[in-house]
Amino acid sequence: QVQLVESGGGLVQPGGSLRLSCAASGTIFSINNMGWYRQAPGKQRELVTVVTSGGFTNYADSVKGRFTISRDNAKNTVYLQMNSLKPEDTAAYYCNADIRAYGSRWSHEYWGQGTQVTVSS
């Protein structure tokens, strides 16, 4: 079994910072892309950022220059550093990873349970 566990959400004032973490655990053979999505109330889930196994990154235009994704392959963990937070960043943030488990020929997409980020004064 493979699972993703997120941490680090919370309430922060506009202009503040938060750091999210997502650790993958279980019978992991390899991890390809890891990323973060978010979903605000009444809106569709959207891609925030993704990092490949080789370290290449991509960001939504709305977070470029403010958010930074990184990963620690030794710990099977991905991080999201969020700076200069705005009220419109308020959403549930979900970790996503493409993981191949031991004994499996193919990789599968896994999701974390979500962590709430609220930006408000």
Side-chain angles (χ1 to χ4, degrees):
Q1 288 283 13
V2 173
Q3 63 175 351
L4 301 178
V5 178
E6 300 144 345
S7 61
L11 173 65
V12 64
Q13 291 186 342
S17 298
L18 280 177
R19 188 190 194 212
L20 306 183
S21 300
C22 172
S25 63
T27 55
I28 297 170
F29 178 76
S30 63
I31 303 178
N32 300 316
N33 292 356
M34 301 185 83
W36 293 91
Y37 287 71
R38 67 185 181 186
Q39 187 168 18
K43 295 187 177 181
Q44 289 189 329
R45 190 172 296 189
E46 63 175 359
L47 174 66
V48 177
T49 179
V50 63
V51 58
T52 69
S53 56
F56 292 101
T57 59
N58 193 30
Y59 295 90
D61 288 342
S62 59
V63 306
K64 282 181 180 177
R66 300 187 298 120
F67 290 12
T68 303
I69 190 171
S70 60
R71 64 189 283 174
D72 184 334
N73 291 329
K75 296 181 179 180
N76 292 333
T77 299
V78 64
Y79 305 95
L80 181 63
Q81 178 65 44
M82 304 184 293
N83 298 328
S84 301
L85 282 160
K86 304 175 181 180
E88 51 263 44
D89 294 317
T90 295
Y93 284 70
Y94 297 89
C95 176
N96 172 273
D98 184 50
I99 299 174
R100 180 182 172 188
Y102 277 104
S104 175
R105 295 182 63 185
W106 311 108
S107 63
H108 297 276
E109 189 177 42
Y110 293 87
W111 291 90
Q113 80 282 4
T115 185
Q116 179 67 33
V117 172
T118 302
V119 184
S120 175
S121 55

